[in-house]
Amino acid sequence: MAKKFQNYIDGRWIDSKSGRTFENRNPANWDEVIGTFPLSTKEDVNEAVKAAKKAFDSWRLVPAPKRGDVMRKVGDILTARKEEIARQMTREMGKVVLETRGDVQEGIDTAYYASSEGRRLFGHTVPSELPNKFNMAIRVPIGVAAIITPWNFPMAIPTWKIFPALLCGNTVVFKAASDTPATATTLVEILLEAGVPPGVINIVHGGGTEVGIAMVEHPDVDLVSFTGSTSVGKKISEIASKSLKRVSLELGGKNAQIVMDDANLDLALEGVLWGAFGTTGQRCTATSRLIVHEKVYDKFVPMVAGSAKKLRLGDGLKDNTDVGPCINEKQRETVDEYVKIGVREGAKLLTGGKAASGDGLSKGWFYELTILGDVTRTMRVAREEIFGPVLSVIKVKTLEEAIDVCNDTMYGLSSSVYTQNINNAYQAIRDIKAGITYINSPTIGAEAHMPFGGVKETGNGHREGGWTVYDFFTEWKTVYVDYSGKLQRAQIDNVEK
Ligand code: NAD
């Protein structure tokens, strides 16, 4: 009998008012049901928002260092339960346990960072232009935050949003992707155990079009933090703009690793394998394009294809597995369609190219690790996000051409350059249009205390991570305290007539 999960609304674990449920299955073994979850509706969202609105009245008044103490406890509990959560996450979404441990660790790092921010949340004091007057700008909480997250980082991404939201004094209604609701539920349980009061955190399970849209449309939701695809992000932006609510969008990517003729090729090889096939290529920062200088193309590309062939697909809980499955049937079909499109457009299939078969793979959404050579910048496989284990390789003549190809997409999230030449490195840092540039390391590997996000259609200008996310979850209030005991008119009384 599959475990039954519930929503958490206004301090109670409850079913959806719809009475309907959905199942979540292991993508490496579709016979294994992780659990059944409420298929919620707008009515459930309304209840959750009502509870969060009510709870905001008291949570906003809790001193930030005290809210920070709760975050420290969250970090401690996550640390104690790291292995168990990592294993549950691998069963739920397939990536290998080495990586799901990293996903939980990112949550731990984010919790301790949020805890310390409770004793900062710095504002500004600025001299007044008038005597006996004190000026300051302070951060204040905003209200109810709707948090909508994807499935590829089931713990890390929710923590990037929920921990700073709560630390700043906001309350939360959370909807995780319907492929990863179990990890999301664990996170809510941990927040409650650490001392987050009822109503301050609420989770509503269900689909994007039903639950997600209801959250974004709700007039009592003050801000929306969304990570997911660019197409859904645009819809959310459109809906939210009607009420002018604040929206943070972290969207798709088409990230490139550039390999120059002076690169350390062994290092570049390790980087591209990790960047392209880690999380089965299902990261927003995954290396989807490999841009190689013509002088090393014929040497380097066979090295990459040869090594990719040796990586072992399988159940992420098994020690000898390097790469897990695609998240679901639809995603595997999308990957296969893109590979076929690439070949039709003239790309050369260097390895992979079809759904994987073999021992232990027959009941999972596995796809062979695929490399397409001779890709040109106009092909769809060079321009569109695939979100799977597919690497498109493009040959270039110069660094300038490499950067130009790198920039030639609608996205701008991550980028990487392998070179031993410091001038090349700094030119790339200056000219690549992306939120993140790595030198001599792969396109993946964000650290929790650094800003994270992209340019162009990867987002709308906000940054998660580090100190920057606290700008999103607070409003500035400007305060003037006049202790002169008389009316002092700015721009008038202090200016010679
Ligand atoms: P998705 O856009 O399909 O779904 C993301 C979330 O939005 C899910 O919770 C989903 O249920 C919900 N949703 C779907 N339709 C909705 C709607 N109409 N209104 C409101 N909510 C809706 O994305 P996904 O398949 O879960 O994740 C993959 C995508 O996420 C990729 O494009 C990837 O690049 C992107 N991503 C971006 C980042 C980043 O930080 N930039 C990080 C991870 C993933």
Side-chain angles (χ1 to χ4, degrees), residues 148-152 157 160 175-178 206-209 212-213 216 226-230 232 235-236 250-253 284 385 387 413 452 458:
I148 305 175
T149 56
W151 49 265
N152 63 340
I157 290 179
W160 286 1
K175 190 203 95 63
S178 40
T209 42
I213 290 204
V216 179
F226 171 82
T227 297
S229 58
T230 294
V232 173
K235 282 184 203 151
I236 288 178
E250 296 290 343
L251 310 173
C284 50
E385 185 178 51
F387 225 58
L413 183 52
F452 182 92
T458 289

Side-chain angles (χ1 to χ4, degrees), residues 123-129 133-137 479-480:
H124 296 276
T125 61
V126 184
S128 168
E129 65 185 50
K133 196 174 170 196
F134 190 89
N135 293 358
M136 60 189 154
V479 183
Y480 300 98

Side-chain angles (χ1 to χ4, degrees), residues 4-58:
K4 183 183 163 207
F5 290 76
Q6 292 179 300
N7 291 332
Y8 183 78
I9 298 174
D10 201 12
R12 287 189 309 139
W13 291 101
I14 48 171
D15 295 333
S16 164
K17 286 187 190 298
S18 73
R20 290 181 298 151
T21 58
F22 67 93
E23 267 184 357
N24 180 23
R25 288 171 182 262
N26 181 343
N29 173 14
W30 54 60
D31 283 347
E32 188 187 347
V33 181
I34 307 297
T36 61
F37 296 81
L39 192 59
S40 310
T41 65
K42 191 173 177 170
E43 268 191 277
D44 303 304
V45 172
N46 290 345
E47 292 295 311
V49 174
K50 199 166 132 198
K53 191 178 177 199
K54 190 173 75 189
F56 179 65
D57 288 341
S58 46

Side-chain angles (χ1 to χ4, degrees), residues 7 10 12 15 26 34 42 52 55 73 97 117 121 209 262 268 295 303 318 320 333 367 380 407 433 460:
N7 291 332
D10 201 12
R12 287 189 309 139
D15 295 333
N26 181 343
I34 307 297
K42 191 173 177 170
K73 282 189 203 129
V97 72
E117 194 61 35
L121 275 186
T209 42
D262 57 35
K295 283 196 190 145
M303 281 166 71
K318 298 214 167 113
N320 58 356
E333 277 170 19
Y367 198 86
R380 285 182 63 192
N407 289 341
K433 294 182 184 134
N460 62 345

Side-chain angles (χ1 to χ4, degrees), residues 39-174:
L39 192 59
S40 310
T41 65
K42 191 173 177 170
E43 268 191 277
D44 303 304
V45 172
N46 290 345
E47 292 295 311
V49 174
K50 199 166 132 198
K53 191 178 177 199
K54 190 173 75 189
F56 179 65
D57 288 341
S58 46
W59 183 244
R60 74 185 178 89
L61 299 177
V62 174
K66 265 216 157 319
R67 295 194 295 251
D69 287 347
V70 176
M71 287 304 133
R72 184 173 36 74
K73 282 189 203 129
V74 170
D76 292 347
I77 301 168
L78 279 170
T79 305
R81 292 181 60 184
K82 179 173 169 180
E83 185 63 21
E84 167 222 332
I85 298 169
R87 299 183 85 79
Q88 177 195 44
M89 196 191 300
T90 295
R91 282 178 58 223
E92 184 169 43
M93 54 74 73
K95 68 184 170 188
V96 296
V97 72
L98 177 81
E99 292 186 53
T100 53
R101 284 186 195 121
D103 195 317
V104 183
Q105 186 59 46
E106 207 159 329
I108 295 167
D109 298 341
T110 303
Y112 291 135
Y113 189 99
S115 163
S116 70
E117 194 61 35
R119 291 187 182 272
R120 283 192 297 269
L121 275 186
F122 291 143
H124 296 276
T125 61
V126 184
S128 168
E129 65 185 50
L130 290 157
N132 299 322
K133 196 174 170 196
F134 190 89
N135 293 358
M136 60 189 154
I138 57 171
R139 291 176 184 275
V140 294
I142 300 176
V144 177
I147 306 286
I148 305 175
T149 56
W151 49 265
N152 63 340
F153 279 86
M155 180 60 76
I157 290 179
T159 68
W160 286 1
K161 300 172 184 298
I162 293 173
F163 294 175
L166 294 178
L167 187 280
C168 292
N170 305 289
T171 55
V172 165
V173 178
F174 172 31

